[in-house]
Amino acid sequence: MRLLITNDDGVHAKGIHILCKELEKYHDIVIVAPSDQRSATSHSITIREPLIVNEVELPGLKSKAYSVSGTPADCVRIAVDQIVDKVDMVISGINIGYNLGTDILYSGTVSAAVEATLCDIPAIAVSTEWHAELYSYENAAKYVRKIIEVADTNGLQDDIVLNVNVPPIEKKDIKGLKVCRIGKVQHSHYYVKDDSDKENVVYRLEGVRKVEHDEETDSYYIDKGYVTVTPLHYDLTNFGILNEVEVWF
Amino acid sequence: MRLLITNDDGVHAKGIHILCKELEKYHDIVIVAPSDQRSATSHSITIREPLIVNEVELPGLKSKAYSVSGTPADCVRIAVDQIVDKVDMVISGINIGYNLGTDILYSGTVSAAVEATLCDIPAIAVSTEWHAELYSYENAAKYVRKIIEVADTNGLQDDIVLNVNVPPIEKKDIKGLKVCRIGKVQHSHYYVKDDSDKENVVYRLEGVRKVEHDEETDSYYIDKGYVTVTPLHYDLTNFGILNEVEVWF
């Protein structure tokens, strides 16, 4: 298969390197990723500034790689439009930091995968915990290879993202793989006033992550040592309440 | 009710002014919005830089207003955490430019409203076409006032966004209001190479919007002259395919 790899940690991130190293043994790979760190950029796109595209050499990899002066979603858009012919699947990651629950709304990694499905290309987003050791990235890369196979065999539709998270534990300790829904993640103590600035009213983000541990969600299973897989879609319509709201008006 | 108004066009945008002017007749309003234009920033948040908050005076309005050096989602987070006590509903808009179909994924306006629901506050996002005349903003503001009433009467849940679009036509020509799902919006001819730059490979976005006119979607009804209302939610899980994917593994 021809795979486009991207991420939101930048083209030089170790996650992209380890993922490509594993996948280029089996697939035709092109990397198109942001020129630098673009975490928490969500699904933002560059509409006013031009995008600068540079071919870059990534030591130890045989695949072609390009850096783009934009967001992860920009990378997918310009790759599909201008750089790579006929992409079979987009793989976004391996992200440094989980993308679990409603936190995926902030994620550049997941948004790049969602952008792929808007271009009618199925996609996989993959993340591990931010403090993970090297072997976690290697585990994640091997899981992605298997998930690509399974997705291809079963005909993953071109409007579906599989969001994958891999716990930062040794392979022998991983309990298995769970397909599950996303949970709700809330944050508390968002902002702390910074009194060192005498001219402006300044706040700094010092959030504490509070996960609602509903059973059978991604946050729940990852804490139990499972790799989690959640199929996502781009339609934010709340069909569960659509008919009710219709009656209101 | 106490309403928090925000947008992605900046605190000085006419959409915010006209909306506040209408709503402050009936409600207690606080405006917290980006210090400048932040369109297409989607659900991005500021995690590394501090946020600077300034009280600003908006001539002609009696409500308090604050500018924030961040994204629309940042504005909702810091407003709820630090600036406004007990917000009953967040109103995001009136955006300069429709937020229809899958284009809402890029929208800072809609993302601010989704962020409100992550903070357990119901929200309304409202937009009109970019070339709209002043009366379209005034129509939109009046529709929002009615929709707030209807939502309040019917107990809009705190995890629901109502995404509202108002066509740029005179009030007498508006056919009514349709509650409907979002459609898929695709873009073509995204990028054009800019050969004037001799040092870099540079592309500029010159998109043409292609709307899939499936019937009963927001894009379909807005073109027929209806105000559209779509209830949105923040759960991107594709429940329709969850069980099928479970069988794959």
Side-chain angles (χ1 to χ4, degrees), chain A residues 218-236:
Chain A
D218 51 1
S219 304
Y220 174 84
Y221 282 120
I222 201 111
D223 278 0
K224 296 212 174 309
Y226 289 93
V227 171
T228 64
V229 176
T230 304
L232 306 177
H233 61 158
Y234 50 66
D235 189 345
L236 288 173

PDB file of all heavy atoms in Angstrom, chain A residues 218-236:
ATOM      1  N   ASP A 218     -12.048   4.563  26.171  1.00  0.00           N
ATOM      2  CA  ASP A 218     -10.606   4.440  25.874  1.00  0.00           C
ATOM      3  C   ASP A 218      -9.746   4.717  27.116  1.00  0.00           C
ATOM      4  O   ASP A 218      -8.792   3.975  27.397  1.00  0.00           O
ATOM      5  CB  ASP A 218     -10.216   5.338  24.687  1.00  0.00           C
ATOM      6  CG  ASP A 218     -10.669   6.792  24.824  1.00  0.00           C
ATOM      7  OD1 ASP A 218     -11.286   7.163  25.854  1.00  0.00           O
ATOM      8  OD2 ASP A 218     -10.402   7.575  23.890  1.00  0.00           O
ATOM      9  N   SER A 219     -10.091   5.766  27.886  1.00  0.00           N
ATOM     10  CA  SER A 219      -9.316   6.096  29.095  1.00  0.00           C
ATOM     11  C   SER A 219      -9.346   4.938  30.093  1.00  0.00           C
ATOM     12  O   SER A 219      -8.356   4.643  30.761  1.00  0.00           O
ATOM     13  CB  SER A 219      -9.887   7.332  29.785  1.00  0.00           C
ATOM     14  OG  SER A 219      -9.927   8.411  28.901  1.00  0.00           O
ATOM     15  N   TYR A 220     -10.493   4.305  30.198  1.00  0.00           N
ATOM     16  CA  TYR A 220     -10.681   3.192  31.125  1.00  0.00           C
ATOM     17  C   TYR A 220      -9.783   2.011  30.739  1.00  0.00           C
ATOM     18  O   TYR A 220      -9.054   1.471  31.578  1.00  0.00           O
ATOM     19  CB  TYR A 220     -12.160   2.792  31.088  1.00  0.00           C
ATOM     20  CG  TYR A 220     -12.525   1.561  31.878  1.00  0.00           C
ATOM     21  CD1 TYR A 220     -12.786   1.630  33.238  1.00  0.00           C
ATOM     22  CD2 TYR A 220     -12.644   0.326  31.238  1.00  0.00           C
ATOM     23  CE1 TYR A 220     -13.148   0.495  33.960  1.00  0.00           C
ATOM     24  CE2 TYR A 220     -13.003  -0.809  31.944  1.00  0.00           C
ATOM     25  CZ  TYR A 220     -13.252  -0.722  33.302  1.00  0.00           C
ATOM     26  OH  TYR A 220     -13.607  -1.844  34.006  1.00  0.00           O
ATOM     27  N   TYR A 221      -9.805   1.651  29.487  1.00  0.00           N
ATOM     28  CA  TYR A 221      -9.057   0.465  29.060  1.00  0.00           C
ATOM     29  C   TYR A 221      -7.550   0.703  29.016  1.00  0.00           C
ATOM     30  O   TYR A 221      -6.766  -0.203  29.282  1.00  0.00           O
ATOM     31  CB  TYR A 221      -9.550  -0.026  27.693  1.00  0.00           C
ATOM     32  CG  TYR A 221     -10.837  -0.790  27.785  1.00  0.00           C
ATOM     33  CD1 TYR A 221     -11.976  -0.348  27.113  1.00  0.00           C
ATOM     34  CD2 TYR A 221     -10.934  -1.955  28.540  1.00  0.00           C
ATOM     35  CE1 TYR A 221     -13.170  -1.049  27.202  1.00  0.00           C
ATOM     36  CE2 TYR A 221     -12.130  -2.657  28.640  1.00  0.00           C
ATOM     37  CZ  TYR A 221     -13.238  -2.207  27.965  1.00  0.00           C
ATOM     38  OH  TYR A 221     -14.416  -2.895  28.058  1.00  0.00           O
ATOM     39  N   ILE A 222      -7.137   1.926  28.658  1.00  0.00           N
ATOM     40  CA  ILE A 222      -5.689   2.169  28.561  1.00  0.00           C
ATOM     41  C   ILE A 222      -5.061   2.038  29.950  1.00  0.00           C
ATOM     42  O   ILE A 222      -3.960   1.509  30.095  1.00  0.00           O
ATOM     43  CB  ILE A 222      -5.385   3.540  27.911  1.00  0.00           C
ATOM     44  CG1 ILE A 222      -3.956   3.531  27.357  1.00  0.00           C
ATOM     45  CG2 ILE A 222      -5.525   4.705  28.873  1.00  0.00           C
ATOM     46  CD1 ILE A 222      -3.857   3.557  25.893  1.00  0.00           C
ATOM     47  N   ASP A 223      -5.795   2.490  30.970  1.00  0.00           N
ATOM     48  CA  ASP A 223      -5.275   2.386  32.337  1.00  0.00           C
ATOM     49  C   ASP A 223      -5.191   0.931  32.801  1.00  0.00           C
ATOM     50  O   ASP A 223      -4.458   0.617  33.729  1.00  0.00           O
ATOM     51  CB  ASP A 223      -6.167   3.163  33.315  1.00  0.00           C
ATOM     52  CG  ASP A 223      -5.836   4.646  33.301  1.00  0.00           C
ATOM     53  OD1 ASP A 223      -4.929   5.037  32.539  1.00  0.00           O
ATOM     54  OD2 ASP A 223      -6.487   5.408  34.033  1.00  0.00           O
ATOM     55  N   LYS A 224      -5.949   0.073  32.167  1.00  0.00           N
ATOM     56  CA  LYS A 224      -5.901  -1.343  32.514  1.00  0.00           C
ATOM     57  C   LYS A 224      -4.846  -2.094  31.685  1.00  0.00           C
ATOM     58  O   LYS A 224      -4.709  -3.318  31.794  1.00  0.00           O
ATOM     59  CB  LYS A 224      -7.271  -1.984  32.317  1.00  0.00           C
ATOM     60  CG  LYS A 224      -8.352  -1.417  33.230  1.00  0.00           C
ATOM     61  CD  LYS A 224      -9.378  -2.455  33.600  1.00  0.00           C
ATOM     62  CE  LYS A 224     -10.382  -1.943  34.623  1.00  0.00           C
ATOM     63  NZ  LYS A 224      -9.781  -1.322  35.806  1.00  0.00           N
ATOM     64  N   GLY A 225      -4.140  -1.370  30.787  1.00  0.00           N
ATOM     65  CA  GLY A 225      -3.051  -2.004  30.039  1.00  0.00           C
ATOM     66  C   GLY A 225      -3.412  -2.512  28.662  1.00  0.00           C
ATOM     67  O   GLY A 225      -2.687  -3.326  28.073  1.00  0.00           O
ATOM     68  N   TYR A 226      -4.528  -2.022  28.117  1.00  0.00           N
ATOM     69  CA  TYR A 226      -4.915  -2.418  26.763  1.00  0.00           C
ATOM     70  C   TYR A 226      -4.489  -1.350  25.737  1.00  0.00           C
ATOM     71  O   TYR A 226      -4.466  -0.156  26.053  1.00  0.00           O
ATOM     72  CB  TYR A 226      -6.433  -2.579  26.646  1.00  0.00           C
ATOM     73  CG  TYR A 226      -6.979  -3.779  27.372  1.00  0.00           C
ATOM     74  CD1 TYR A 226      -7.443  -3.661  28.684  1.00  0.00           C
ATOM     75  CD2 TYR A 226      -7.056  -5.022  26.750  1.00  0.00           C
ATOM     76  CE1 TYR A 226      -7.958  -4.767  29.358  1.00  0.00           C
ATOM     77  CE2 TYR A 226      -7.561  -6.126  27.419  1.00  0.00           C
ATOM     78  CZ  TYR A 226      -8.008  -5.997  28.722  1.00  0.00           C
ATOM     79  OH  TYR A 226      -8.506  -7.086  29.390  1.00  0.00           O
ATOM     80  N   VAL A 227      -4.220  -1.806  24.517  1.00  0.00           N
ATOM     81  CA  VAL A 227      -4.179  -0.902  23.372  1.00  0.00           C
ATOM     82  C   VAL A 227      -5.633  -0.597  23.026  1.00  0.00           C
ATOM     83  O   VAL A 227      -6.461  -1.512  22.987  1.00  0.00           O
ATOM     84  CB  VAL A 227      -3.485  -1.574  22.165  1.00  0.00           C
ATOM     85  CG1 VAL A 227      -3.628  -0.731  20.908  1.00  0.00           C
ATOM     86  CG2 VAL A 227      -2.019  -1.839  22.497  1.00  0.00           C
ATOM     87  N   THR A 228      -5.964   0.679  22.815  1.00  0.00           N
ATOM     88  CA  THR A 228      -7.359   1.019  22.488  1.00  0.00           C
ATOM     89  C   THR A 228      -7.488   1.454  21.028  1.00  0.00           C
ATOM     90  O   THR A 228      -6.588   2.097  20.477  1.00  0.00           O
ATOM     91  CB  THR A 228      -7.898   2.151  23.390  1.00  0.00           C
ATOM     92  OG1 THR A 228      -7.154   3.343  23.131  1.00  0.00           O
ATOM     93  CG2 THR A 228      -7.790   1.774  24.861  1.00  0.00           C
ATOM     94  N   VAL A 229      -8.613   1.081  20.429  1.00  0.00           N
ATOM     95  CA  VAL A 229      -8.922   1.478  19.051  1.00  0.00           C
ATOM     96  C   VAL A 229     -10.354   2.009  19.043  1.00  0.00           C
ATOM     97  O   VAL A 229     -11.280   1.300  19.440  1.00  0.00           O
ATOM     98  CB  VAL A 229      -8.834   0.281  18.075  1.00  0.00           C
ATOM     99  CG1 VAL A 229      -9.249   0.707  16.670  1.00  0.00           C
ATOM    100  CG2 VAL A 229      -7.430  -0.302  18.060  1.00  0.00           C
ATOM    101  N   THR A 230     -10.522   3.254  18.616  1.00  0.00           N
ATOM    102  CA  THR A 230     -11.869   3.828  18.498  1.00  0.00           C
ATOM    103  C   THR A 230     -12.105   4.308  17.075  1.00  0.00           C
ATOM    104  O   THR A 230     -11.351   5.146  16.580  1.00  0.00           O
ATOM    105  CB  THR A 230     -12.054   5.031  19.455  1.00  0.00           C
ATOM    106  OG1 THR A 230     -11.769   4.609  20.785  1.00  0.00           O
ATOM    107  CG2 THR A 230     -13.479   5.565  19.394  1.00  0.00           C
ATOM    108  N   PRO A 231     -13.129   3.781  16.399  1.00  0.00           N
ATOM    109  CA  PRO A 231     -13.469   4.342  15.086  1.00  0.00           C
ATOM    110  C   PRO A 231     -14.121   5.710  15.268  1.00  0.00           C
ATOM    111  O   PRO A 231     -15.028   5.860  16.089  1.00  0.00           O
ATOM    112  CB  PRO A 231     -14.458   3.318  14.498  1.00  0.00           C
ATOM    113  CG  PRO A 231     -15.005   2.574  15.673  1.00  0.00           C
ATOM    114  CD  PRO A 231     -13.990   2.652  16.776  1.00  0.00           C
ATOM    115  N   LEU A 232     -13.621   6.691  14.523  1.00  0.00           N
ATOM    116  CA  LEU A 232     -14.168   8.062  14.602  1.00  0.00           C
ATOM    117  C   LEU A 232     -14.789   8.442  13.260  1.00  0.00           C
ATOM    118  O   LEU A 232     -14.448   7.864  12.224  1.00  0.00           O
ATOM    119  CB  LEU A 232     -13.048   9.065  14.897  1.00  0.00           C
ATOM    120  CG  LEU A 232     -12.156   8.833  16.105  1.00  0.00           C
ATOM    121  CD1 LEU A 232     -11.070   9.906  16.154  1.00  0.00           C
ATOM    122  CD2 LEU A 232     -12.962   8.831  17.391  1.00  0.00           C
ATOM    123  N   HIS A 233     -15.649   9.421  13.296  1.00  0.00           N
ATOM    124  CA  HIS A 233     -16.195   9.978  12.059  1.00  0.00           C
ATOM    125  C   HIS A 233     -16.207  11.500  12.176  1.00  0.00           C
ATOM    126  O   HIS A 233     -15.998  12.048  13.240  1.00  0.00           O
ATOM    127  CB  HIS A 233     -17.594   9.456  11.775  1.00  0.00           C
ATOM    128  CG  HIS A 233     -18.581   9.815  12.835  1.00  0.00           C
ATOM    129  ND1 HIS A 233     -19.920   9.854  12.627  1.00  0.00           N
ATOM    130  CD2 HIS A 233     -18.405  10.150  14.146  1.00  0.00           C
ATOM    131  CE1 HIS A 233     -20.528  10.199  13.744  1.00  0.00           C
ATOM    132  NE2 HIS A 233     -19.651  10.377  14.673  1.00  0.00           N
ATOM    133  N   TYR A 234     -16.453  12.166  11.049  1.00  0.00           N
ATOM    134  CA  TYR A 234     -16.347  13.625  11.047  1.00  0.00           C
ATOM    135  C   TYR A 234     -17.696  14.316  11.171  1.00  0.00           C
ATOM    136  O   TYR A 234     -17.765  15.544  11.124  1.00  0.00           O
ATOM    137  CB  TYR A 234     -15.612  14.116   9.804  1.00  0.00           C
ATOM    138  CG  TYR A 234     -16.128  13.553   8.505  1.00  0.00           C
ATOM    139  CD1 TYR A 234     -17.393  13.856   8.038  1.00  0.00           C
ATOM    140  CD2 TYR A 234     -15.336  12.714   7.723  1.00  0.00           C
ATOM    141  CE1 TYR A 234     -17.866  13.351   6.854  1.00  0.00           C
ATOM    142  CE2 TYR A 234     -15.792  12.191   6.531  1.00  0.00           C
ATOM    143  CZ  TYR A 234     -17.059  12.517   6.104  1.00  0.00           C
ATOM    144  OH  TYR A 234     -17.528  12.014   4.925  1.00  0.00           O
ATOM    145  N   ASP A 235     -18.757  13.559  11.309  1.00  0.00           N
ATOM    146  CA  ASP A 235     -20.080  14.184  11.354  1.00  0.00           C
ATOM    147  C   ASP A 235     -20.453  14.511  12.800  1.00  0.00           C
ATOM    148  O   ASP A 235     -20.762  13.636  13.586  1.00  0.00           O
ATOM    149  CB  ASP A 235     -21.117  13.258  10.737  1.00  0.00           C
ATOM    150  CG  ASP A 235     -22.466  13.948  10.559  1.00  0.00           C
ATOM    151  OD1 ASP A 235     -22.681  15.022  11.157  1.00  0.00           O
ATOM    152  OD2 ASP A 235     -23.304  13.419   9.815  1.00  0.00           O
ATOM    153  N   LEU A 236     -20.398  15.784  13.137  1.00  0.00           N
ATOM    154  CA  LEU A 236     -20.694  16.214  14.510  1.00  0.00           C
ATOM    155  C   LEU A 236     -22.188  16.339  14.794  1.00  0.00           C
ATOM    156  O   LEU A 236     -22.586  16.688  15.892  1.00  0.00           O
ATOM    157  CB  LEU A 236     -20.015  17.559  14.802  1.00  0.00           C
ATOM    158  CG  LEU A 236     -18.495  17.547  14.976  1.00  0.00           C
ATOM    159  CD1 LEU A 236     -17.958  18.978  15.083  1.00  0.00           C
ATOM    160  CD2 LEU A 236     -18.083  16.774  16.225  1.00  0.00           C
TER     161      LEU A 236
END
